[in-house]
Amino acid sequence: SNENLVLLDNTTIYNPYHALGIFSALDPDMISSMEFYKGGFPSEYAHRLSSVLKVVTKDGNKNSFGAKAGISLLTAKLFLEGPIPSGSFIISGRKNYSDAVLKKFRNNNSIPADFYDLFAKVNYSNNTFMQDAKFSLSTFMSGDKIMNNNPRREDFKWDNNTIAFNYFQVSDSPLFYQLDLSYSTFSGERIPNLSGGKGVKNELSDFTMRIDFNYVYDNKDELAGGFKISEVHTTLTLENFRGQSTTTNTRGVNVSAFAKYKILRFAFFGADIGARVHATRFAGGGSSFFIEPRTSFTLRFIPELALKGSWGIYMQDLVTISDENEVVSIFEPWVITPLYLSPSSAIHYISGLEFTPTPNLSFNLEGYYKIMHNLAIVNDQKY
């Protein structure tokens, strides 16, 4: 699961799931749009090997106040939106109160899951203050507890917290650029009690700054680029097979940049050609330079039939550790790949056909081939 990047308004959510991964921690009511890349994602995305889910939230109604409440077999939720001077706001929150739905996943056995999520966002845009600029400030919180009333069973708890600032600017020329500042944290704990299992405790903090630009030419082609710097701090406490606890603290900075050119001038052909360059690894030191070339294309034989393909190299050195003996991993702790190991990497080869006989009907046939290198696994037999 750590190979899939989930972005909420360009802020990384490290565990976007509720109740054993059955439900999303992101309430659909707060979502404006989503983009999902099953693979072969472009060069503006980094630090994952497999896929990207980009979620963009609503800005809120700028003209009138509104509220919506809902109750299901599992949760109760509330959604608020409305105007503020030169802007708008939204607030969305959910809390579970029943496990009637969760029982269906366990042959009517109860799952002692307790969870919540809360999202709030404020937007500001005033041409008197700054022409053609938009500012937003948002926060997201979610928490889960699985507490069994049985000392012979393990208990779990984890939570996410984020705060993000975005500045988006449209210039006089067809140039768009934006600044994102985000702080995202994750903490999780497996409490063994008297189960005989191993205790795990993990904390992660991620501060990221990114600057992106996009320039649109008269012929519809686009030039895009950006710079990103992330500082990540992780703390991991593990028990080995002897029951001894070891705590590892890691801190690192990753500096990277990307550039790409999109060919959009032709009706029958389009392409996205770019690359991301990493100047440092989170583990720091040593040989840290890593380049990720990526490209994709669409060739349209006739308006109804298109051939698509993509290829790319991807690197990830912030990973989770998992127990391959577990059928279901309830929570996986994050850790920076140490410097004595090469970072995990992948090469994607993807191609497919898209047939659209009518505006309301389409068929897709796609093939994926992915090569993985240097996947890190924790050896808990060491002591």
Side-chain angles (χ1 to χ4, degrees):
S1 63
N2 74 89
E3 296 174 6
N4 308 296
L5 177 63
V6 177
L7 293 172
L8 180 66
D9 291 335
N10 286 331
T11 302
T12 303
I13 307 297
Y14 282 91
N15 193 336
Y17 306 106
H18 284 318
L20 312 182
I22 298 173
F23 299 98
S24 170
L26 308 179
D27 183 6
D29 283 343
M30 73 186 194
I31 295 174
S32 173
S33 65
M34 293 190 300
E35 293 181 26
F36 178 55
Y37 296 91
K38 301 182 290 293
F41 45 91
S43 53
E44 58 260 44
Y45 302 107
H47 305 306
R48 294 297 186 274
L49 298 183
S50 292
S51 73
V52 173
L53 175 62
K54 180 181 179 180
V55 178
V56 179
T57 60
K58 296 177 179 177
D59 286 343
N61 195 320
K62 296 182 179 180
N63 301 313
S64 61
F65 290 95
K68 180 167 63 174
I71 296 178
S72 70
L73 294 176
L74 182 66
T75 63
K77 63 181 183 179
L78 178 66
F79 178 84
L80 302 172
E81 63 178 341
I84 61 172
S86 300
S88 60
F89 77 92
I90 67 167
I91 299 174
S92 174
R94 291 185 299 178
K95 178 72 174 68
N96 81 301
Y97 66 90
S98 169
D99 67 350
V101 174
L102 297 177
K103 286 183 178 181
K104 304 301 181 183
F105 293 89
R106 298 192 67 215
N107 297 323
N108 222 34
N109 293 320
S110 178
I111 297 179
D114 180 25
F115 61 84
Y116 74 92
D117 55 72
L118 176 66
F119 176 78
K121 181 180 179 182
V122 176
N123 303 280
Y124 180 81
S125 179
N126 188 327
N127 286 334
T128 303
F129 172 71
M130 186 174 291
Q131 185 74 24
D132 297 325
K134 177 185 173 184
F135 303 88
S136 65
L137 183 65
S138 63
T139 183
F140 171 75
M141 294 176 285
S142 72
D144 284 74
K145 293 180 181 180
I146 299 178
M147 311 300 286
N148 298 284
N149 295 321
N150 184 344
R152 297 188 178 275
R153 298 190 64 183
E154 298 174 324
D155 295 329
F156 297 85
K157 57 183 180 180
W158 65 91
D159 61 71
N160 299 277
N161 294 280
T162 73
I163 184 168
F165 169 80
N166 173 265
Y167 159 52
F168 180 81
Q169 180 69 56
V170 180
S171 67
D172 294 334
S173 62
L175 174 66
F176 309 87
Y177 55 91
Q178 64 178 349
L179 166 69
D180 287 289
L181 300 173
S182 64
Y183 182 69
S184 179
T185 66
F186 167 77
S187 64
E189 185 175 6
R190 179 170 64 196
I191 307 168
N193 297 322
L194 301 178
S195 66
K198 301 170 185 176
V200 179
K201 188 173 182 180
N202 180 224
E203 294 180 353
L204 178 147
S205 63
D206 173 353
F207 176 76
T208 295
M209 180 188 73
R210 56 181 291 169
I211 301 172
D212 297 333
F213 78 89
N214 186 279
Y215 184 85
V216 181
Y217 293 91
D218 293 337
N219 61 9
K220 299 182 180 180
D221 285 4
E222 296 182 12
L223 174 66
F227 171 82
K228 180 179 180 181
I229 180 169
S230 297
E231 180 180 3
V232 172
H233 178 212
T234 67
T235 301
L236 176 63
T237 301
L238 289 175
E239 286 186 359
N240 64 13
F241 72 105
R242 294 177 177 268
Q244 298 171 326
S245 295
T246 302
T247 299
T248 302
N249 289 285
T250 56
R251 183 186 299 273
V253 176
N254 174 271
V255 179
S256 64
F258 83 94
K260 71 174 188 176
Y261 191 87
K262 295 180 70 174
I263 301 173
L264 301 173
R265 69 183 71 180
F266 306 111
F268 66 94
F269 177 77
D272 186 321
I273 303 169
R276 174 172 286 274
V277 176
H278 295 265
T280 63
R281 283 181 56 185
F282 280 119
S287 178
S288 303
F289 184 81
F290 196 96
I291 185 169
E292 301 172 305
R294 303 174 191 178
T295 184
S296 63
F297 74 91
T298 299
L299 179 60
R300 195 165 295 278
F301 303 106
I302 57 176
E304 297 79 16
L305 181 64
L307 172 66
K308 297 183 176 182
S310 64
W311 172 87
I313 297 177
Y314 303 86
M315 184 270 281
Q316 180 175 344
D317 60 350
L318 179 64
V319 299
T320 61
I321 59 174
S322 59
D323 187 344
E324 294 183 350
N325 296 319
E326 292 183 353
V327 178
V328 178
S329 297
I330 297 179
F331 119 79
E332 296 179 340
W334 290 87
V335 65
I336 295 173
T337 303
L339 192 60
Y340 60 82
L341 294 178
S342 298
S344 301
S345 63
I347 305 175
H348 292 196
Y349 300 88
I350 302 173
S351 64
L353 288 171
E354 179 183 74
F355 178 54
T356 309
T358 71
N360 300 318
L361 180 65
S362 67
F363 298 91
N364 289 273
L365 177 64
E366 296 178 328
Y368 299 82
Y369 182 68
K370 182 166 62 175
I371 304 173
M372 313 288 284
H373 296 284
N374 306 318
L375 299 181
I377 299 175
V378 170
N379 183 0
D380 62 1
Q381 301 300 310
K382 290 185 177 181
Y383 61 94

